Amino acid sequence: MFAARKFGFLWGVFGLVTTEYMILSHPSKFYGWYMVAMGTYLGARYPYYKFKKWGYFLLDFCYYAQVCNFLQVLVFPSNCEFFKVCFGFAVGPLLAAVVLWRNSLVFHDHEKVTTVMIHTLPSWHVLVARFHTDFWPTNTDLGRLGGVSSCPSFGLADYRNALVAYMLWQLAYFLKTEVLDAAHLDGDPSIQTSLRWLALDTERPIHQLVLWVMKRLRLMRRDEAFDPTTVKTKLIFMASQLVFTALMLLPAPLLDRSSSLCALWCVFAFAVAVYNGGEFYIEVFSRRYYRQFEEGPPGEEASCTELPRDEHEDPPSQGTSQGTSQGTSQG
């Protein structure tokens, strides 16, 4: 365990330093580093998620966005329409999720580092590709993605394309989880999906917000709770995710027209992840350290494995207490 955490710390720092080096010294080749790094992060996450029965999380939108980036680089490097879809995803819902889900850059935890990189690295990738000539005007080597820097500005048609691309993913996800694999998921409640997690984690702000809105609109009773087995809950969360994505795509035209504003937004989102990571190290570690003197028996060391509640925390498992409409809850 400690060796894995040490290696995770090493990889987290190495990845961050290499990212900075590639942006500053080899911006035209940054897409290559993005693909290597993201492939490594996702490759390491796959077996762990399969073991934990979290495999369906790998079908979530953030992974779909990575697939779009890979396709854009490998198959459509000069396609402006497709690039702007990737741009909208990267600087829109992906970066916003860093703030919403409280992503934390905790170097010794490879899961937290991976989640931060999944949500932030695409923004640096599209930032460098789109504004290459703005940030490095004397660098004539524009590389494989050099053509996208001269693409027309992000417009209404591009917003529509990004939203359609999102809805294609949402439709495919629904067919996979609610039609093709419905019997498999219904037969094993221990398998986690995003819907089950969001619907049953009653302490999460997004859960509380959606529930409050539904009750204000009188689409749910005052005493009603989300039940991920019902069509009603499934439709509510699909609609909520669509609304969130549509709203987060709105700033894309403005960000596409200003390299400085886009860079500031990318830096801010990453700074939020760093701040959350600092909060973990300073507050959680220090609290656990002092607790060993206040509560623990002599000689007992405080645990440093307890994580603050954020996006990376283990999904709630079915069957724990805190009643839902079916008498069980995800805690």
Side-chain angles (χ1 to χ4, degrees):
M1 175 62 73
F2 287 108
R5 289 184 179 276
K6 292 176 182 178
F7 180 79
F9 193 99
L10 173 65
W11 172 241
V13 175
F14 172 79
L16 187 60
V17 171
T18 305
T19 297
E20 180 183 6
Y21 170 75
M22 291 299 296
I23 290 177
L24 297 178
S25 299
H26 302 284
S28 62
K29 301 296 189 297
F30 184 76
Y31 70 88
W33 167 246
Y34 162 77
M35 297 181 68
V36 170
M38 192 56 61
T40 303
Y41 287 126
L42 299 183
R45 172 166 280 190
Y46 177 79
Y48 178 67
Y49 270 33
K50 292 292 289 184
F51 173 75
K52 298 283 286 186
K53 291 189 175 182
W54 297 351
Y56 283 89
F57 283 126
L58 299 175
L59 301 178
D60 285 354
F61 172 73
C62 56
Y63 301 96
Y64 170 72
Q66 313 305 325
V67 172
C68 289
N69 285 331
F70 273 62
L71 284 175
Q72 193 273 323
V73 171
L74 296 175
V75 184
F76 309 106
S78 300
N79 188 301
C80 289
E81 287 73 19
F82 193 27
F83 173 78
K84 284 185 280 188
V85 168
C86 297
F87 181 89
F89 287 168
V91 302
L94 285 186
L95 269 190
V98 174
V99 180
L100 180 66
W101 297 112
R102 297 192 69 250
N103 289 179
S104 306
L105 187 61
V106 178
F107 285 115
H108 75 269
D109 190 322
H110 68 90
E111 275 299 300
K112 288 183 177 290
V113 171
T114 297
T115 300
V116 169
M117 291 303 175
I118 285 174
H119 289 97
T120 60
L121 201 57
S123 66
W124 297 109
H125 163 64
V126 299
L127 176 73
V128 171
R130 179 57 167 156
F131 301 112
H132 187 284
T133 54
D134 289 13
F135 293 124
W136 300 274
T138 60
N139 189 337
T140 57
D141 179 14
L142 299 181
R144 182 177 178 83
L145 302 182
V148 301
S149 62
S150 58
C151 286
S153 297
F154 196 105
L156 183 60
D158 301 306
Y159 178 87
R160 177 202 62 204
N161 292 341
L163 206 54
V164 168
Y166 171 83
M167 289 189 287
L168 288 176
W169 163 80
Q170 194 170 61
L171 176 62
Y173 184 87
F174 178 83
L175 292 175
K176 174 65 175 175
T177 58
E178 305 302 331
V179 179
L180 298 177
D181 292 358
H184 174 61
L185 290 170
D186 291 342
D188 189 353
S190 66
I191 298 176
Q192 286 296 335
T193 67
S194 291
L195 173 65
R196 288 179 175 179
W197 187 10
L198 291 172
L200 295 167
D201 190 356
T202 57
E203 296 183 14
R204 194 165 294 279
I206 189 64
H207 174 108
Q208 298 170 359
L209 174 61
V210 174
L211 185 62
W212 179 81
V213 171
M214 292 301 103
K215 291 181 178 180
R216 291 285 294 180
L217 295 176
R218 297 187 178 182
L219 296 176
M220 295 181 67
R221 301 187 309 272
R222 288 184 177 273
D223 61 342
E224 190 175 1
F226 289 124
D227 178 0
T229 65
T230 64
V231 174
K232 182 178 183 178
T233 294
K234 293 171 183 177
L235 292 178
I236 285 174
F237 276 94
M238 286 178 64
S240 300
Q241 291 175 323
L242 177 60
V243 170
F244 168 77
T245 301
L247 290 175
M248 294 304 102
L249 285 172
L250 288 176
L254 181 61
L255 297 173
D256 180 63
R257 287 167 171 79
S258 173
S259 57
S260 298
L261 189 61
C262 189
L264 284 174
W265 169 228
C266 293
V267 170
F268 172 78
F270 188 76
V272 169
V274 174
Y275 178 87
N276 291 336
E279 184 178 35
F280 171 84
Y281 281 116
I282 295 171
E283 295 188 10
V284 175
F285 270 26
S286 60
R287 184 168 64 248
R288 304 305 277 172
Y289 176 76
Y290 284 115
R291 188 177 298 173
Q292 68 176 320
F293 300 106
E294 297 174 353
E295 301 176 3
E300 182 180 359
E301 294 186 0
S303 170
C304 290
T305 60
E306 180 178 323
L307 303 180
R309 190 169 186 80
D310 64 11
E311 191 273 341
H312 311 83
E313 192 176 23
D314 286 2
S317 58
Q318 296 197 16
T320 58
S321 61
Q322 289 181 7
T324 67
S325 58
Q326 294 182 318
T328 60
S329 166
Q330 283 56 39

mmCIF file with all atom_site columns, all heavy atoms in Angstrom, residues 123-134:
data_model
loop_
_atom_site.group_PDB
_atom_site.id
_atom_site.type_symbol
_atom_site.label_atom_id
_atom_site.label_alt_id
_atom_site.label_comp_id
_atom_site.label_asym_id
_atom_site.label_entity_id
_atom_site.label_seq_id
_atom_site.pdbx_PDB_ins_code
_atom_site.Cartn_x
_atom_site.Cartn_y
_atom_site.Cartn_z
_atom_site.occupancy
_atom_site.B_iso_or_equiv
_atom_site.pdbx_formal_charge
_atom_site.auth_seq_id
_atom_site.auth_comp_id
_atom_site.auth_asym_id
_atom_site.auth_atom_id
_atom_site.pdbx_PDB_model_num
ATOM 1   N N   . SER A 1 123 ? -8.259  20.289 -21.503 1.00 0.00 ? 123 SER A N   1
ATOM 2   C CA  . SER A 1 123 ? -8.329  21.747 -21.674 1.00 0.00 ? 123 SER A CA  1
ATOM 3   C C   . SER A 1 123 ? -6.975  22.308 -22.095 1.00 0.00 ? 123 SER A C   1
ATOM 4   O O   . SER A 1 123 ? -6.899  23.216 -22.934 1.00 0.00 ? 123 SER A O   1
ATOM 5   C CB  . SER A 1 123 ? -8.814  22.419 -20.383 1.00 0.00 ? 123 SER A CB  1
ATOM 6   O OG  . SER A 1 123 ? -7.878  22.264 -19.333 1.00 0.00 ? 123 SER A OG  1
ATOM 7   N N   . TRP A 1 124 ? -5.889  21.784 -21.515 1.00 0.00 ? 124 TRP A N   1
ATOM 8   C CA  . TRP A 1 124 ? -4.555  22.237 -21.929 1.00 0.00 ? 124 TRP A CA  1
ATOM 9   C C   . TRP A 1 124 ? -4.260  21.800 -23.365 1.00 0.00 ? 124 TRP A C   1
ATOM 10  O O   . TRP A 1 124 ? -3.628  22.529 -24.135 1.00 0.00 ? 124 TRP A O   1
ATOM 11  C CB  . TRP A 1 124 ? -3.499  21.674 -20.979 1.00 0.00 ? 124 TRP A CB  1
ATOM 12  C CG  . TRP A 1 124 ? -3.645  22.159 -19.576 1.00 0.00 ? 124 TRP A CG  1
ATOM 13  C CD1 . TRP A 1 124 ? -4.055  21.451 -18.485 1.00 0.00 ? 124 TRP A CD1 1
ATOM 14  C CD2 . TRP A 1 124 ? -3.397  23.497 -19.099 1.00 0.00 ? 124 TRP A CD2 1
ATOM 15  N NE1 . TRP A 1 124 ? -4.080  22.241 -17.364 1.00 0.00 ? 124 TRP A NE1 1
ATOM 16  C CE2 . TRP A 1 124 ? -3.677  23.502 -17.703 1.00 0.00 ? 124 TRP A CE2 1
ATOM 17  C CE3 . TRP A 1 124 ? -2.958  24.664 -19.703 1.00 0.00 ? 124 TRP A CE3 1
ATOM 18  C CZ2 . TRP A 1 124 ? -3.538  24.644 -16.926 1.00 0.00 ? 124 TRP A CZ2 1
ATOM 19  C CZ3 . TRP A 1 124 ? -2.829  25.809 -18.925 1.00 0.00 ? 124 TRP A CZ3 1
ATOM 20  C CH2 . TRP A 1 124 ? -3.115  25.788 -17.560 1.00 0.00 ? 124 TRP A CH2 1
ATOM 21  N N   . HIS A 1 125 ? -4.741  20.628 -23.703 1.00 0.00 ? 125 HIS A N   1
ATOM 22  C CA  . HIS A 1 125 ? -4.546  20.111 -25.062 1.00 0.00 ? 125 HIS A CA  1
ATOM 23  C C   . HIS A 1 125 ? -5.202  21.025 -26.101 1.00 0.00 ? 125 HIS A C   1
ATOM 24  O O   . HIS A 1 125 ? -4.557  21.434 -27.077 1.00 0.00 ? 125 HIS A O   1
ATOM 25  C CB  . HIS A 1 125 ? -5.123  18.695 -25.140 1.00 0.00 ? 125 HIS A CB  1
ATOM 26  C CG  . HIS A 1 125 ? -5.363  18.188 -26.516 1.00 0.00 ? 125 HIS A CG  1
ATOM 27  N ND1 . HIS A 1 125 ? -4.344  17.983 -27.426 1.00 0.00 ? 125 HIS A ND1 1
ATOM 28  C CD2 . HIS A 1 125 ? -6.518  17.858 -27.172 1.00 0.00 ? 125 HIS A CD2 1
ATOM 29  C CE1 . HIS A 1 125 ? -4.850  17.540 -28.574 1.00 0.00 ? 125 HIS A CE1 1
ATOM 30  N NE2 . HIS A 1 125 ? -6.161  17.469 -28.440 1.00 0.00 ? 125 HIS A NE2 1
ATOM 31  N N   . VAL A 1 126 ? -6.469  21.377 -25.890 1.00 0.00 ? 126 VAL A N   1
ATOM 32  C CA  . VAL A 1 126 ? -7.154  22.218 -26.877 1.00 0.00 ? 126 VAL A CA  1
ATOM 33  C C   . VAL A 1 126 ? -6.674  23.669 -26.801 1.00 0.00 ? 126 VAL A C   1
ATOM 34  O O   . VAL A 1 126 ? -6.661  24.374 -27.819 1.00 0.00 ? 126 VAL A O   1
ATOM 35  C CB  . VAL A 1 126 ? -8.690  22.147 -26.704 1.00 0.00 ? 126 VAL A CB  1
ATOM 36  C CG1 . VAL A 1 126 ? -9.186  20.718 -26.914 1.00 0.00 ? 126 VAL A CG1 1
ATOM 37  C CG2 . VAL A 1 126 ? -9.140  22.684 -25.353 1.00 0.00 ? 126 VAL A CG2 1
ATOM 38  N N   . LEU A 1 127 ? -6.268  24.107 -25.607 1.00 0.00 ? 127 LEU A N   1
ATOM 39  C CA  . LEU A 1 127 ? -5.743  25.471 -25.466 1.00 0.00 ? 127 LEU A CA  1
ATOM 40  C C   . LEU A 1 127 ? -4.481  25.654 -26.295 1.00 0.00 ? 127 LEU A C   1
ATOM 41  O O   . LEU A 1 127 ? -4.344  26.637 -27.042 1.00 0.00 ? 127 LEU A O   1
ATOM 42  C CB  . LEU A 1 127 ? -5.453  25.764 -23.997 1.00 0.00 ? 127 LEU A CB  1
ATOM 43  C CG  . LEU A 1 127 ? -4.814  27.132 -23.689 1.00 0.00 ? 127 LEU A CG  1
ATOM 44  C CD1 . LEU A 1 127 ? -5.855  28.243 -23.846 1.00 0.00 ? 127 LEU A CD1 1
ATOM 45  C CD2 . LEU A 1 127 ? -4.231  27.150 -22.272 1.00 0.00 ? 127 LEU A CD2 1
ATOM 46  N N   . VAL A 1 128 ? -3.549  24.705 -26.186 1.00 0.00 ? 128 VAL A N   1
ATOM 47  C CA  . VAL A 1 128 ? -2.289  24.793 -26.923 1.00 0.00 ? 128 VAL A CA  1
ATOM 48  C C   . VAL A 1 128 ? -2.538  24.702 -28.423 1.00 0.00 ? 128 VAL A C   1
ATOM 49  O O   . VAL A 1 128 ? -1.945  25.455 -29.214 1.00 0.00 ? 128 VAL A O   1
ATOM 50  C CB  . VAL A 1 128 ? -1.326  23.685 -26.460 1.00 0.00 ? 128 VAL A CB  1
ATOM 51  C CG1 . VAL A 1 128 ? -0.109  23.616 -27.372 1.00 0.00 ? 128 VAL A CG1 1
ATOM 52  C CG2 . VAL A 1 128 ? -0.892  23.929 -25.024 1.00 0.00 ? 128 VAL A CG2 1
ATOM 53  N N   . ALA A 1 129 ? -3.433  23.787 -28.825 1.00 0.00 ? 129 ALA A N   1
ATOM 54  C CA  . ALA A 1 129 ? -3.691  23.615 -30.255 1.00 0.00 ? 129 ALA A CA  1
ATOM 55  C C   . ALA A 1 129 ? -4.393  24.832 -30.856 1.00 0.00 ? 129 ALA A C   1
ATOM 56  O O   . ALA A 1 129 ? -4.023  25.312 -31.935 1.00 0.00 ? 129 ALA A O   1
ATOM 57  C CB  . ALA A 1 129 ? -4.536  22.361 -30.480 1.00 0.00 ? 129 ALA A CB  1
ATOM 58  N N   . ARG A 1 130 ? -5.367  25.359 -30.157 1.00 0.00 ? 130 ARG A N   1
ATOM 59  C CA  . ARG A 1 130 ? -6.174  26.453 -30.698 1.00 0.00 ? 130 ARG A CA  1
ATOM 60  C C   . ARG A 1 130 ? -5.409  27.775 -30.727 1.00 0.00 ? 130 ARG A C   1
ATOM 61  O O   . ARG A 1 130 ? -5.521  28.548 -31.681 1.00 0.00 ? 130 ARG A O   1
ATOM 62  C CB  . ARG A 1 130 ? -7.444  26.612 -29.844 1.00 0.00 ? 130 ARG A CB  1
ATOM 63  C CG  . ARG A 1 130 ? -8.375  27.735 -30.271 1.00 0.00 ? 130 ARG A CG  1
ATOM 64  C CD  . ARG A 1 130 ? -8.815  27.577 -31.703 1.00 0.00 ? 130 ARG A CD  1
ATOM 65  N NE  . ARG A 1 130 ? -9.928  28.463 -32.039 1.00 0.00 ? 130 ARG A NE  1
ATOM 66  C CZ  . ARG A 1 130 ? -10.208 28.864 -33.270 1.00 0.00 ? 130 ARG A CZ  1
ATOM 67  N NH1 . ARG A 1 130 ? -9.437  28.457 -34.294 1.00 0.00 ? 130 ARG A NH1 1
ATOM 68  N NH2 . ARG A 1 130 ? -11.246 29.642 -33.506 1.00 0.00 ? 130 ARG A NH2 1
ATOM 69  N N   . PHE A 1 131 ? -4.629  28.040 -29.691 1.00 0.00 ? 131 PHE A N   1
ATOM 70  C CA  . PHE A 1 131 ? -3.985  29.351 -29.563 1.00 0.00 ? 131 PHE A CA  1
ATOM 71  C C   . PHE A 1 131 ? -2.469  29.264 -29.703 1.00 0.00 ? 131 PHE A C   1
ATOM 72  O O   . PHE A 1 131 ? -1.739  30.056 -29.120 1.00 0.00 ? 131 PHE A O   1
ATOM 73  C CB  . PHE A 1 131 ? -4.353  29.985 -28.225 1.00 0.00 ? 131 PHE A CB  1
ATOM 74  C CG  . PHE A 1 131 ? -5.829  30.178 -28.045 1.00 0.00 ? 131 PHE A CG  1
ATOM 75  C CD1 . PHE A 1 131 ? -6.525  29.449 -27.100 1.00 0.00 ? 131 PHE A CD1 1
ATOM 76  C CD2 . PHE A 1 131 ? -6.522  31.074 -28.836 1.00 0.00 ? 131 PHE A CD2 1
ATOM 77  C CE1 . PHE A 1 131 ? -7.893  29.612 -26.934 1.00 0.00 ? 131 PHE A CE1 1
ATOM 78  C CE2 . PHE A 1 131 ? -7.888  31.255 -28.681 1.00 0.00 ? 131 PHE A CE2 1
ATOM 79  C CZ  . PHE A 1 131 ? -8.576  30.526 -27.720 1.00 0.00 ? 131 PHE A CZ  1
ATOM 80  N N   . HIS A 1 132 ? -2.015  28.299 -30.480 1.00 0.00 ? 132 HIS A N   1
ATOM 81  C CA  . HIS A 1 132 ? -0.585  28.105 -30.674 1.00 0.00 ? 132 HIS A CA  1
ATOM 82  C C   . HIS A 1 132 ? 0.088   29.375 -31.180 1.00 0.00 ? 132 HIS A C   1
ATOM 83  O O   . HIS A 1 132 ? 1.119   29.810 -30.654 1.00 0.00 ? 132 HIS A O   1
ATOM 84  C CB  . HIS A 1 132 ? -0.356  26.956 -31.654 1.00 0.00 ? 132 HIS A CB  1
ATOM 85  C CG  . HIS A 1 132 ? 1.075   26.560 -31.808 1.00 0.00 ? 132 HIS A CG  1
ATOM 86  N ND1 . HIS A 1 132 ? 1.981   27.296 -32.546 1.00 0.00 ? 132 HIS A ND1 1
ATOM 87  C CD2 . HIS A 1 132 ? 1.769   25.510 -31.305 1.00 0.00 ? 132 HIS A CD2 1
ATOM 88  C CE1 . HIS A 1 132 ? 3.151   26.712 -32.505 1.00 0.00 ? 132 HIS A CE1 1
ATOM 89  N NE2 . HIS A 1 132 ? 3.062   25.627 -31.761 1.00 0.00 ? 132 HIS A NE2 1
ATOM 90  N N   . THR A 1 133 ? -0.503  29.998 -32.190 1.00 0.00 ? 133 THR A N   1
ATOM 91  C CA  . THR A 1 133 ? 0.122   31.194 -32.774 1.00 0.00 ? 133 THR A CA  1
ATOM 92  C C   . THR A 1 133 ? 0.010   32.413 -31.856 1.00 0.00 ? 133 THR A C   1
ATOM 93  O O   . THR A 1 133 ? 0.790   33.359 -31.987 1.00 0.00 ? 133 THR A O   1
ATOM 94  C CB  . THR A 1 133 ? -0.526  31.519 -34.133 1.00 0.00 ? 133 THR A CB  1
ATOM 95  O OG1 . THR A 1 133 ? -1.951  31.633 -33.963 1.00 0.00 ? 133 THR A OG1 1
ATOM 96  C CG2 . THR A 1 133 ? -0.253  30.419 -35.141 1.00 0.00 ? 133 THR A CG2 1
ATOM 97  N N   . ASP A 1 134 ? -0.947  32.408 -30.924 1.00 0.00 ? 134 ASP A N   1
ATOM 98  C CA  . ASP A 1 134 ? -1.076  33.524 -29.984 1.00 0.00 ? 134 ASP A CA  1
ATOM 99  C C   . ASP A 1 134 ? 0.012   33.482 -28.918 1.00 0.00 ? 134 ASP A C   1
ATOM 100 O O   . ASP A 1 134 ? 0.609   34.514 -28.577 1.00 0.00 ? 134 ASP A O   1
ATOM 101 C CB  . ASP A 1 134 ? -2.449  33.494 -29.304 1.00 0.00 ? 134 ASP A CB  1
ATOM 102 C CG  . ASP A 1 134 ? -3.571  33.860 -30.257 1.00 0.00 ? 134 ASP A CG  1
ATOM 103 O OD1 . ASP A 1 134 ? -3.322  33.893 -31.472 1.00 0.00 ? 134 ASP A OD1 1
ATOM 104 O OD2 . ASP A 1 134 ? -4.685  34.108 -29.783 1.00 0.00 ? 134 ASP A OD2 1
#
